[in-house]
Amino acid sequence: MDKSQKKADRKFILSYAFSAGGGFQFIIALITSYFSVYLTDNLMISAGIVSIIMTVATLWDAINDPIMGSIADRTKSRFGRYRGYLLFTPFVVAILAVLLFMGNPGWTMAVKVAYISIIYILYGMASTVLMMPTYAILPAHTLDQKVRNKSIVGMMIVTAIGFNIVTVVGAMLIDRLAILVIIFALIGIIAFIALYKNAKEKYLMPIGDRSAAHDLKTVLKHKELYPVLATWFLANLGYGMMFSASTYYIIYYIGQPMILGLYMGILGIGSLLSMILMPLALKIFKTPKKTLICTQLITVILYIALFFAGSKGLGILITLSFIAALFSCMQNGIVNILLNDTIDYIMLKDRLSLNGIVSAIRSFASKCGAGLAMSVITAILAIAGYAPNAFEQSSSAMMGINMTRFGAPAIISIILIICMLFYPIEKHYGEIAKMKEKMADSSNKEGIK
């Protein structure tokens, strides 16, 4: 590889890391960690209503994600198939993200619920328009697995740093989250402009005259991929619950709100280190499948221990939570490798570039997981009898809080392990490697553009 190509790869890796993992992911971290608390404790919306809002918004994603994937795959413009979305959409997402935290506690309950519902749904739609082409551009830009993995690891490291900052600073600015959103949005806009400049669409086959329904059926006909789809969902569900439930756990179950920033910071550091250590884990366990299974197995053991012993002492809680984050958060990088594997697999089996629709399905599964994390938490709390802002909670509410923090995530990790036992793509790695060699050799010939 010549020096100019290495330089181009470095620019792409950095721009991808700071766009896909930067400012707008920081906003997602803010929403994941504090949005449900913001709604229940600042806007005083009941946990049950919050759960309904999150569920409805997530269900709507079932419609707009595949639609957006199909639209992107069929986009024809001077900016490219996916690149144009990286240039314009960040501004829309930024505006909606700021509006999301501009609700007024003095409004009537009906106005607050309507406002949050509309803005949250629009924000989810705009995020789909932005992030789905972002995921799709990586396999279109390069066939080099090393460049892909470095881009993903870089993205996850930046995301982990952002989560670390967000969880600590967000706890101190819980009443002024809109300020953080504005700062993060500006960072995101700059990063996406850089990605637009550095990304190329070198490995895409013509879309032809196929319908969107045909493309969706093409992916879904491969039933062996269903465990992969479930893994995308479960990874984000467990990750979202880890951060969102931690706020309730520290404030009410442990009863020490003053250490919330410290605890969330510990989780953030664990998340950051997990991304730094992910290449080593992949080297030790050889494949993404084995890496995910082994790290999640360790996570399950630690979550069970914390479920029963988390309240026995801060030393035990912080130490075991840090180690658990170190292993559990690794799933976020690995699922992105699974995304590229899936795109390659479809190309191998069907000779089609379905980056957009596959990324849309992944985006939908991920947002379902992240969105339902808050829905599941608030639903469990509502059933258990949680009272917003009441420092003294009932014993059933305390059990519900403990269940949302450690019990349910342990169950989720077990299901994820079972899904990965049926991972189908690993046995096709040899065929995929040969296919990539042929594509690289013919990238400037007819059929590849």
Side-chain angles (χ1 to χ4, degrees), residues 30-73:
L30 200 67
I31 293 173
T32 300
S33 300
Y34 298 111
F35 192 52
S36 62
V37 176
Y38 167 77
L39 295 181
T40 58
D41 292 14
N42 286 63
L43 295 188
M44 301 304 293
I45 301 175
S46 72
I49 293 178
V50 171
S51 178
I52 293 173
I53 292 173
M54 300 302 175
T55 302
V56 171
T58 300
L59 290 175
W60 172 239
D61 277 337
I63 299 174
N64 71 70
D65 270 29
I67 292 174
M68 184 57 219
S70 175
I71 291 173
D73 277 338

Side-chain angles (χ1 to χ4, degrees), residues 11 22 25 121 151 183 188 220 226 241 264 266 310 410 429 438:
K11 286 183 177 180
Q25 287 296 328
I121 288 173
S151 300
I183 295 173
L220 297 181
Y226 288 5
M241 290 192 70
M264 299 296 270
I266 291 296
Y429 280 163
K438 292 180 180 179

Side-chain angles (χ1 to χ4, degrees), residues 240-260:
M241 290 192 70
M242 178 184 73
F243 278 96
S244 295
S246 292
T247 305
Y248 294 100
Y249 185 84
I250 294 298
I251 293 175
Y252 300 108
Y253 194 83
I254 300 301
Q256 298 194 43
M258 294 300 294
I259 70 164
L260 177 60

Side-chain angles (χ1 to χ4, degrees), residues 168-331:
V168 175
V169 178
M172 297 184 291
L173 296 175
I174 193 72
D175 295 320
R176 296 185 295 277
L177 295 177
I179 297 175
L180 289 179
V181 173
I182 293 172
I183 295 173
F184 296 152
L186 291 175
I187 294 173
I189 289 171
I190 293 172
F192 270 101
I193 291 174
L195 179 62
Y196 167 79
K197 291 181 178 180
N198 291 303
K200 308 296 181 183
E201 297 179 352
K202 295 182 288 186
Y203 302 105
L204 290 174
M205 297 179 180
I207 199 66
D209 297 325
R210 303 186 314 274
S211 67
H214 177 276
D215 287 351
L216 185 59
K217 289 178 181 178
T218 297
V219 177
L220 297 181
K221 76 178 182 181
H222 295 286
K223 295 182 179 179
E224 64 273 21
L225 291 178
Y226 288 5
V228 182
L229 310 187
T231 298
W232 292 337
F233 166 77
L234 292 167
N236 282 270
L237 177 60
Y239 188 71
M241 290 192 70
M242 178 184 73
F243 278 96
S244 295
S246 292
T247 305
Y248 294 100
Y249 185 84
I250 294 298
I251 293 175
Y252 300 108
Y253 194 83
I254 300 301
Q256 298 194 43
M258 294 300 294
I259 70 164
L260 177 60
L262 170 64
Y263 184 74
M264 299 296 270
I266 291 296
L267 295 183
I269 293 172
S271 177
L272 171 60
L273 291 178
S274 73
M275 293 302 102
I276 295 175
L277 294 174
M278 191 179 81
L280 177 61
L282 286 167
K283 186 175 182 179
I284 292 173
F285 297 114
K286 307 300 182 183
T287 67
K289 171 185 174 179
K290 293 178 181 177
T291 303
L292 191 52
I293 289 175
C294 292
T295 54
Q296 286 300 301
L297 184 59
I298 295 172
T299 300
V300 170
I301 295 171
L302 291 168
Y303 278 166
I304 293 175
L306 282 162
F307 181 82
F308 293 102
S311 61
K312 301 300 182 183
L314 287 180
I316 294 175
L317 174 64
I318 290 176
T319 301
L320 294 185
S321 294
F322 171 76
I323 299 173
L326 196 64
F327 287 98
S328 67
C329 294
M330 209 170 287
Q331 65 187 358

Side-chain angles (χ1 to χ4, degrees), residues 406-421:
F406 295 118
I411 295 171
I412 292 167
S413 292
I414 291 172
I415 300 173
L416 191 151
I417 291 171
I418 294 172
C419 289
M420 285 307 297
L421 291 174

Side-chain angles (χ1 to χ4, degrees), residues 153-167:
V153 171
M155 173 188 72
M156 298 312 303
I157 288 176
V158 174
T159 299
I161 292 173
F163 261 77
N164 199 22
I165 294 172
V166 165
T167 50

Side-chain angles (χ1 to χ4, degrees), residues 65-66 216 219-220 229 232 356-366:
D65 270 29
L216 185 59
V219 177
L220 297 181
L229 310 187
W232 292 337
I357 200 69
V358 174
S359 297
I361 294 173
R362 188 267 189 190
S363 176
F364 166 62
S366 298

